[in-house]
Amino acid sequence: AAFEGLRLVLTVRGDVPRLPGAGAVTLRDVERLSAPDDRALFLRHAGDHFAEDAALPGLLGVLDGHPLSIELLAANAAGKANLAGLAADWGRRRARLLKIGPADDRLCSLRVSLEISLDALGPGGAAHRLVRLMALLPDGLSDADSRDLLAGGAPSDEEAEAASVLENARLAGRPDGRWRLLAPIREALLSNFPPEAEDRDRLIAAFLARAAKGGRAGTNGWTDVKDDVIAEAGNLDTAVGLALRSPDRTADLSAAVQGLAEFHRFTGLGATASLPAVAERLHDRGDALGEAICLKSLGDIALRRSDPEGARQRYEAALALYRQVGDVLGEANCIFGLGDIALVRSDPEGARQRWEAALPLYRQVGDVLGEANCIKGLGDIALRRSDPEGARQRYEAALPLYRQVGDGLGEANFIARLGDIALARSDPEGARQRYEAALPLYRQVGSVLGEANCIQGLGDVAAAKGETGAASARWREALALYARISEPYSIGATHNRLRRRAETPEQAAEHREAARRAWASIDRRDLIEEYLDESA
């Protein structure tokens, strides 16, 4: 206490120490290291010459402020000219780098240190099982799952309290209402301490079911499941990947793949990195229908990401498989998707041919929603051809079909298209009423693209009324949503709107460059030439 600024840090396994006597106090936990302390600790052990190394921020990010891991990884930097190789090694070896030399004691190995803590929990106990199970999930575990996933039925008292035991042992925390592990702890568990097979199977089954619920995105049933699915958005792709490596779980993959793809396509949340591997596995197993479902889902995602060529390849591959197994609905869906691609590529005649080919197939299998979508698509073509009356007739023919099947997305699309028609007819007030009517419907079914399009339309209405400030605010709101779902075409179009209403030449130049980048990323040089040359 006589040394100014001195701090004593104790590492303790078990209860937090309490200083007795007069003025007794329970010592506080040391928070995980944040900037600049994590950086200072790394450089203390690795050397100050890494202070400006470009790879340093990334390495500190993966270490999650865990002091022992920072020291151990920094020790691996000794003798290196830069940190690029160490960063690459982390990508391949991860927790295996968190050791020094023989790594046979707790100060030289995260694995050894973690093993001591796990032994204190009691091997085979609920807390021991839970922490190994938690390591499978990159986005943490809900409080309810921390209890339920350990039990086939009602959890025992020990299972219900397992997460609290991990918190007391400082192995897990709940900073945002979800149980989480520090990243290095999770990596060490994954490398060295796998979960029990039965616990792992229960987790995979639960998360595949949630991924399947994601298929309700874009439908009236989305409201019933969205909270459960969105809460686990960061874990769903991982769960599909886990199932892929579990031969006995691949039968559950098709519904999960479709659900994950639809969820990501409509909301922009979660990831779909596992899906190409799923398609490959299903191909190897000779599951033509499952492979077709996966490829079609990948085509939907590629189209939403403004990758029409990638979408075309997947739709055509899926189309051949659907025809092979005699799945008429799948065949119709792929043909319809190819029509979407034609429209994106400014080929309305090609789109018309595709949708008119898909229409009788939908009618053959009694798919009213598919029939309505084809008719609505033909209305979109009429609108693009400056035939608002023809478009209105098509939309009005589609509306009762959408209402027949209770499809909120279709009804929202119908109302929004009437807004487009009103705007094209120089009726901004009529357009505003329709966009505002469609907006809550899009939000109800979870269509981020539809929501963004309506907000952009309201910006167009404001611009038509000469309300430049209100228009720019709406367009910026839409831009954030387009960015969330990675929709480069609309991102470029919105920046172009903002460019035209920019207050200064510098702002206009920024929006011009942002629009150029967005459209260049999808090889739309035609749009760049039409809208972004200096005279546009």
Side-chain angles (χ1 to χ4, degrees):
F3 290 89
E4 182 69 24
L6 179 64
R7 298 290 185 271
L8 179 64
V9 180
L10 308 178
T11 59
V12 178
R13 299 177 194 273
D15 293 335
V16 177
R18 186 173 188 274
L19 301 182
V25 64
T26 299
L27 299 184
R28 293 186 305 163
D29 275 348
V30 178
E31 297 287 341
R32 66 185 185 183
L33 296 184
S34 56
D37 296 324
D38 57 347
R39 182 174 182 275
L41 180 59
F42 187 95
L43 295 177
R44 184 187 307 166
H45 291 270
D48 289 339
H49 57 290
F50 292 123
E52 303 303 323
D53 195 289
L56 179 58
L59 287 173
L60 293 176
V62 300
L63 296 174
D64 222 4
H66 186 238
L68 176 59
S69 297
I70 293 172
E71 291 188 15
L72 294 175
L73 192 62
N76 279 274
K80 292 180 170 57
N82 57 60
L83 298 177
L86 186 60
D89 282 347
W90 177 264
R92 293 188 297 269
R93 298 167 59 196
R94 296 187 179 271
R96 287 175 289 170
L97 288 174
L98 299 179
K99 64 178 183 177
I100 303 173
D104 55 0
D105 69 72
R106 64 181 180 83
L107 298 180
C108 295
S109 168
L110 179 58
R111 182 194 61 78
V112 173
S113 179
L114 183 57
E115 190 169 18
I116 294 171
S117 293
L118 293 177
D119 286 344
L121 297 176
H128 198 290
R129 290 166 52 207
L130 180 61
V131 74
R132 290 181 287 144
L133 191 63
M134 286 176 63
L136 296 177
L137 299 174
D139 198 32
L141 195 66
S142 71
D143 193 51
D145 281 343
S146 75
R147 299 185 298 271
D148 297 342
L149 291 179
L150 290 179
S156 66
D157 290 345
E158 182 190 7
E159 290 165 341
E161 296 169 2
S164 295
V165 173
L166 295 178
E167 185 175 35
N168 291 336
R170 305 308 185 270
L171 286 171
R174 191 164 41 170
D176 56 358
R178 292 177 66 82
W179 292 104
R180 298 184 184 277
L181 305 172
L182 293 182
I185 301 296
R186 178 172 174 264
E187 294 291 348
L189 287 164
L190 285 172
S191 294
N192 301 287
F193 306 98
E196 300 294 328
E198 291 184 359
D199 294 338
R200 185 177 186 274
D201 285 346
R202 272 192 296 272
L203 181 145
I204 291 173
F207 280 84
L208 288 184
R210 286 170 182 157
K213 290 179 183 178
R216 299 193 200 178
T219 74
N220 291 346
W222 177 237
T223 303
D224 298 333
V225 301
K226 71 175 184 179
D227 290 342
D228 189 28
V229 179
I230 289 174
E232 301 302 336
N235 289 325
L236 298 179
D237 186 58
T238 295
V240 170
L242 290 171
L244 187 63
R245 296 190 291 275
S246 301
D248 56 334
R249 307 298 321 184
T250 52
D252 303 331
L253 277 175
S254 292
V257 163
Q258 281 185 292
L260 177 59
E262 289 295 279
F263 171 60
H264 179 73
R265 186 165 70 95
F266 277 100
T267 68
L269 301 175
T272 56
S274 65
L275 300 196
V278 173
E280 185 176 344
R281 172 64 64 85
L282 294 171
H283 175 80
D284 292 342
R285 290 181 57 216
D287 184 347
L289 179 58
E291 183 185 0
I293 290 170
C294 194
L295 288 171
K296 196 268 181 184
S297 297
L298 286 167
D300 292 339
I301 293 169
L303 186 58
R304 177 54 53 84
R305 290 176 175 173
S306 299
D307 176 15
E309 179 57 26
R312 181 193 64 77
Q313 293 174 7
R314 290 169 173 83
Y315 284 148
E316 289 184 349
L319 178 60
L321 292 169
Y322 280 127
R323 284 172 171 164
Q324 175 184 325
V325 299
D327 189 310
V328 176
L329 178 58
E331 178 183 355
N333 287 335
C334 288
I335 294 172
F336 184 89
L338 291 169
D340 280 337
I341 292 171
L343 200 63
V344 166
R345 288 177 161 172
S346 300
D347 177 16
E349 180 58 25
R352 182 192 64 77
Q353 292 174 5
R354 293 290 189 174
W355 289 335
E356 288 186 347
L359 186 56
L361 296 177
Y362 284 126
R363 287 172 173 161
Q364 176 183 332
V365 296
D367 190 285
V368 176
L369 179 58
E371 179 182 355
N373 286 336
C374 284
I375 295 171
K376 193 274 285 185
L378 294 170
D380 291 343
I381 292 174
L383 190 59
R384 287 202 175 200
R385 288 176 165 171
S386 300
D387 178 14
E389 180 58 29
R392 184 189 61 78
Q393 292 174 5
R394 292 286 192 175
Y395 295 149
E396 289 183 349
L399 180 58
L401 298 177
Y402 284 127
R403 287 178 171 164
Q404 178 182 331
V405 295
D407 184 71
L409 177 61
E411 185 170 351
N413 285 335
F414 165 77
I415 296 170
R417 292 297 185 273
L418 291 181
D420 295 339
I421 291 171
L423 200 59
R425 288 176 166 175
S426 300
D427 177 14
E429 181 57 27
R432 181 193 63 77
Q433 292 174 5
R434 287 166 174 81
Y435 290 142
E436 289 184 347
L439 187 56
L441 296 177
Y442 281 126
R443 287 172 173 162
Q444 179 180 331
V445 301
S447 175
V448 175
L449 179 62
E451 180 183 355
N453 287 340
C454 275
I455 293 170
Q456 187 183 77
L458 290 169
D460 294 342
V461 168
K465 291 180 174 182
E467 301 168 357
T468 301
S472 294
R474 287 292 196 176
W475 291 332
R476 291 181 187 279
E477 186 180 353
L479 189 61
L481 295 173
Y482 288 133
R484 176 172 148 188
I485 57 174
S486 301
E487 218 292 285
Y489 173 85
S490 298
I491 290 172
T494 308
H495 274 296
N496 191 47
R497 284 170 166 83
L498 289 164
R499 175 186 70 84
R500 291 178 177 274
R501 299 298 193 281
E503 295 180 356
T504 68
E506 292 77 15
Q507 291 176 349
E510 289 177 5
H511 288 301
R512 185 191 302 275
E513 181 56 31
R516 186 186 305 278
R517 286 197 304 269
W519 284 338
S521 73
I522 54 174
D523 199 26
R524 291 302 302 270
R525 302 192 182 281
D526 57 322
L527 296 175
I528 295 172
E529 293 173 1
E530 181 176 357
Y531 295 108
L532 300 182
D533 64 27
E534 293 303 322
S535 61

